[in-house]
Amino acid sequence: CQTYPPIAEGTYQPQAAGLGMPSSALYPNLEELGEYMGLSLDSDEVQRNMALVPMADNQVAVSSGMGISGMVCPVTGSDVGIKRAEIRPGLREIILCKDQDRKVGLRLRAIDNGVFIQLVQANSPAALGGLRFGDQVLQINGQNCAGWSLDKAHKALKVAAETRIELIVRDRPFQRTVTMHKDSSGHVGFIFKSGNITSLVKDGSAARNGLLTAHYICEINGQNVIGLKDAQIKDILTTSPTAMTITIMPKFIYEHMVKRMSSGLLQSAMDHSVPEV
Amino acid sequence: CQTYPPIAEGTYQPQAAGLGMPSSALYPNLEELGEYMGLSLDSDEVQRNMALVPMADNQVAVSSGMGISGMVCPVTGSDVGIKRAEIRPGLREIILCKDQDRKVGLRLRAIDNGVFIQLVQANSPAALGGLRFGDQVLQINGQNCAGWSLDKAHKALKVAAETRIELIVRDRPFQRTVTMHKDSSGHVGFIFKSGNITSLVKDGSAARNGLLTAHYICEINGQNVIGLKDAQIKDILTTSPTAMTITIMPKFIYEHMVKRMSSGLLQSAMDHSVPEV
């Protein structure tokens, strides 16, 4: 199979066995899908009916104009993996209580005059609150975090009242999701090593959907995999439903985000649970 | 005024004159907004009514659970600037025709085994088709671009039929939008130089909304400003409506994206028109 870039000897290739080459050029191939989830996907009908539909999760419609036409590549918004992975725009408020050790279970990182979540400890108030690696913390108890040093941010958490810490958060600004579909052999067509995507299989679902190399896998179907061993990540990939949504972060930014965090701590302490929707 | 990081002498400060310090800690301050655009924003009412509203543009609702409550920070989806700036998930298809010089008006860039748009020439078929700097081209005429060199991608455009070039595109994957509101002095509270955000004003709208330094401004209210002089960017900021949506890209990625493109060409050739919605 052809990969980009060519695979060096000894690279870990969890999906090398039995790689199938998907047949269709355009994914999703609307003619092949025919009736997808009960929707008629005849091209003309799609154009007629979708042009005025408001944007829903992972659906894009571009209406005609100036000789340019658009089509919808539908990805069903009801898929649980997609929902779990969804990076929502705007801001959200989280209210936390400290645990009996008077901790919330967060480690933070200061990047570009913003404050980001570097670690969400398993079973902590932060984990219960739905906070995730890479979330940007904009405010702690009414104070804007812009320009704060790491010490200042950790201190604000430390001195906060035990029963109520109000955080204003922006969902994972440096991450994005890519939804792919397994082929008949169960593969989406990328190769990774130590969580970092290193190759794309030619014409695989990953390639068709624009997955990129030099990006770290942060989540699979919304479940955080940062710090897990490659074998553990492979298990999660294998047991994923056919529609798989991966959350990725550029390598350069990822390396800043995890600086001064031991890989052992990332593996053992990070919340790797499957999020609720 | 206090900025992060502290401003060095001689830094271009387009918004330094008459900087007002916004008073409210939490933005938007729902008590102050009271009735915003006809919506009652009483906290309890918001929580009761918003918890089941589907996600619309830039609105986030987190429902209660496990002792964690959420609030909505509404940004009206009908604002034209927000619509123009919107980075849509999923894939879209664009069909282009070549112009009389048999060009489409695109320059591309290969990054991380993906193909990205580096330049959209003003008044070109690409500009008419709504393509933008930073868009990822996934397919050209049915062929996946994953792993292509720049030459291969440009050649595919060159040999394509004059009357029909089908592109599958993902919206600006390396960019994100931040929506801010001007204060009574007309400022949102950031300082930039050569298009790069260098400082945030303490407690300004930019700081409250998590704008970051070391990021380039790609668009203001959806209008591409890459390559424009700082004075031109300042004009666009000044004439922007109170609600302003900026599209930003991390500096590290931006510098890769514009490599080998002269700044003169970026200024003179790039499509800087105001996009239709």
Side-chain angles (χ1 to χ4, degrees), chain B residues 78-231:
Chain B
S78 64
D79 184 89
V80 170
I82 291 169
K83 276 198 144 73
R84 287 198 205 114
E86 187 186 6
I87 295 170
R88 292 162 297 183
L91 311 178
R92 69 190 202 275
E93 182 178 53
I94 314 279
I95 299 175
L96 302 179
C97 306
K98 294 183 179 181
D99 63 18
Q100 50 264 57
D101 298 324
R102 290 154 68 186
K103 300 283 169 83
V104 294
L106 280 179
R107 270 177 77 154
L108 303 173
R109 183 104 180 93
I111 293 175
D112 293 343
N113 285 292
V115 171
F116 291 83
I117 292 176
Q118 186 189 52
L119 177 74
V120 178
Q121 281 185 308
N123 304 314
S124 66
L128 290 173
L131 290 167
R132 301 195 195 198
F133 172 89
D135 275 343
Q136 182 180 358
V137 180
L138 304 187
Q139 284 190 22
I140 298 174
N141 284 333
Q143 290 186 288
N144 294 312
C145 303
W148 282 12
S149 67
L150 192 52
D151 286 343
K152 187 165 180 179
H154 280 141
K155 187 173 176 194
L157 289 178
K158 193 171 173 183
V159 303
E162 303 217 5
T163 51
R164 187 178 177 87
I165 305 174
E166 297 182 13
L167 304 180
I168 303 289
V169 172
R170 183 186 288 280
D171 269 23
R172 295 158 283 146
F174 286 122
Q175 294 168 45
R176 61 189 191 277
T177 60
V178 178
T179 297
M180 300 165 281
H181 285 69
K182 293 181 173 181
D183 62 18
S184 51
S185 316
H187 302 114
V188 292
F190 69 87
I191 291 161
F192 67 98
K193 185 173 166 64
S194 304
N196 174 34
I197 297 164
T198 54
S199 314
L200 305 170
V201 173
K202 181 168 159 57
D203 294 330
S205 182
R208 291 196 303 268
N209 284 281
L211 195 70
L212 299 175
T213 55
H215 277 64
Y216 273 82
I217 307 167
C218 300
E219 300 177 1
I220 297 166
N221 295 325
Q223 177 183 7
N224 184 301
V225 298
I226 292 169
L228 293 182
K229 298 268 185 231
D230 283 348

Side-chain angles (χ1 to χ4, degrees), chain A residues 4-5 24-28 55-62 65-73 86 88-97 111-116 125 128-130 136 138-139 142-148 152 164 166 168 170-171 173-179 198-204 207-215 250 252-253 276, chain B residues 4-5 24-28 47 55-62 65-73 86 88-97 111-116 125 128-130 136 138-139 142-148 152 164 166 168 170-171 173-174 176-179 198-204 207-215 250 252-253 276:
Chain A
Y4 302 102
S24 58
L26 171 64
Y27 184 87
M55 302 285 178
D57 294 350
N58 287 317
Q59 282 187 337
V60 180
V62 179
M66 310 287 281
I68 314 298
S69 62
M71 288 170 63
V72 170
C73 297
E86 187 188 4
R88 292 163 297 183
L91 311 178
R92 71 190 202 274
E93 184 179 52
I94 313 281
I95 298 176
L96 302 179
C97 305
I111 294 175
D112 293 343
N113 286 293
V115 172
F116 290 84
L128 290 173
Q136 183 181 359
L138 303 187
Q139 283 190 23
Q143 291 185 291
N144 295 311
C145 303
W148 282 10
K152 187 164 179 179
R164 189 178 177 87
E166 297 182 11
I168 303 288
R170 183 186 288 280
D171 269 21
F174 286 122
Q175 293 167 43
R176 61 189 191 275
T177 59
V178 178
T179 298
T198 54
S199 314
L200 305 171
V201 174
K202 182 168 157 58
D203 294 330
R208 291 196 304 268
N209 284 282
L211 194 70
L212 299 175
T213 55
H215 277 63
F252 176 78
I253 296 171
E276 295 173 10
Chain B
Y4 303 103
S24 58
L26 172 62
Y27 185 85
Q47 287 202 33
M55 305 285 181
D57 294 350
N58 287 317
Q59 282 187 336
V60 178
V62 178
M66 307 288 279
I68 314 299
S69 62
M71 289 170 61
V72 170
C73 297
E86 187 186 6
R88 292 162 297 183
L91 311 178
R92 69 190 202 275
E93 182 178 53
I94 314 279
I95 299 175
L96 302 179
C97 306
I111 293 175
D112 293 343
N113 285 292
V115 171
F116 291 83
L128 290 173
Q136 182 180 358
L138 304 187
Q139 284 190 22
Q143 290 186 288
N144 294 312
C145 303
W148 282 12
K152 187 165 180 179
R164 187 178 177 87
E166 297 182 13
I168 303 289
R170 183 186 288 280
D171 269 23
F174 286 122
R176 61 189 191 277
T177 60
V178 178
T179 297
T198 54
S199 314
L200 305 170
V201 173
K202 181 168 159 57
D203 294 330
R208 291 196 303 268
N209 284 281
L211 195 70
L212 299 175
T213 55
H215 277 64
F252 176 77
I253 296 170
E276 297 175 6

Side-chain angles (χ1 to χ4, degrees), chain B residues 8 12 46 81 95 117 144 172 206 208 214 227 242 256 259 262 273:
Chain B
Y12 179 63
V46 164
I95 299 175
I117 292 176
N144 294 312
R172 295 158 283 146
R208 291 196 303 268
T242 301
H256 272 88
K259 246 180 196 167
S262 81
S273 63

Side-chain angles (χ1 to χ4, degrees), chain A residues 206-229:
Chain A
R208 291 196 304 268
N209 284 282
L211 194 70
L212 299 175
T213 55
H215 277 63
Y216 273 82
I217 306 168
C218 300
E219 301 176 0
I220 297 165
N221 295 325
Q223 177 184 8
N224 184 301
V225 299
I226 290 169
L228 293 182
K229 298 269 184 231

